[in-house]
Every structure is written in structure tokens, then in C-alpha cells.
């Protein structure tokens, strides 16, 4: 499939897995999300846009390291 953008499940509350996906360019996280885990998008080098919901109260260390992401809340 096309992994250039990723939309997560609408009932997700924690994003903890690591993508390591060099083709991912945009991520839309669900409004239910409350935390983003350590190194969640580490080295997603093409990631340029992440929409983070207002409910997110914790973002793990190095969650967006190695990206060029513009973070939007």
C-alpha cells in the first residue's frame, strides 16, 4: 500500500511503536490520543507534517528525531 501518509485508528490513546519508515511524509493522529512514545517516529526522514491533537500531554524522548517534521497542534 501507499505509506506516504498515515492515519491512525480513531480510538487510539497511546502511540508507542516505532515506524522507522523513510517514505512516510505526513501523519494525522486521532483526537483520542494522549501520548506519543519514545522514538515513535525516529528516522522517518521524509516526515514533514504531524498533526498532534490537543489531548496529547506526553511526548517521549526523541519521538521526532531524524525528521524534518513541522508539528501542528
Amino acid at each position: 500500500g501507499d505509506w506516504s501518509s498515515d492515519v491512525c485508528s480513531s480510538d487510539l490513546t497511546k502511540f508507542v511503536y516505532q515506524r522507522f519508515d523513510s517514505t512516510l511524509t505526513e501523519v494525522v493522529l486521532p483526537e483520542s490520543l494522549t501520548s506519543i512514545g519514545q522514538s515513535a517516529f525516529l528516522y522517518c526522514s521524509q516526515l514533514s507534517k504531524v498533526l498532534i491533537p490537543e489531548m496529547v500531554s506526553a511526548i517521549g524522548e526523541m519521538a521526532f528525531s531524524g525528521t524534518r517534521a513541522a508539528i501542528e497542534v
Side-chain angles (χ1 to χ4, degrees):
D2 178 12
W3 286 99
S4 62
S5 66
D6 199 1
V7 178
C8 299
S9 170
S10 63
D11 60 353
L12 185 71
T13 58
K14 294 181 181 180
F15 189 93
V16 295
Y17 70 98
Q18 297 174 333
R19 284 301 303 251
F20 298 116
D21 185 342
S22 63
T23 63
L24 188 64
T25 59
E26 181 176 322
V27 174
V28 178
L29 298 168
E31 291 298 319
S32 60
L33 195 72
T34 59
S35 66
I36 298 171
Q38 179 175 334
S39 305
F41 297 98
L42 182 67
Y43 301 125
C44 292
S45 59
Q46 297 301 309
L47 184 60
S48 60
K49 185 175 183 181
V50 179
L51 298 174
I52 298 178
E54 290 183 31
M55 294 295 292
V56 172
S57 60
I59 298 177
E61 186 176 337
M62 297 177 58
F64 297 99
S65 292
T67 73
R68 54 189 177 126
I71 308 299
E72 295 181 25
V73 178

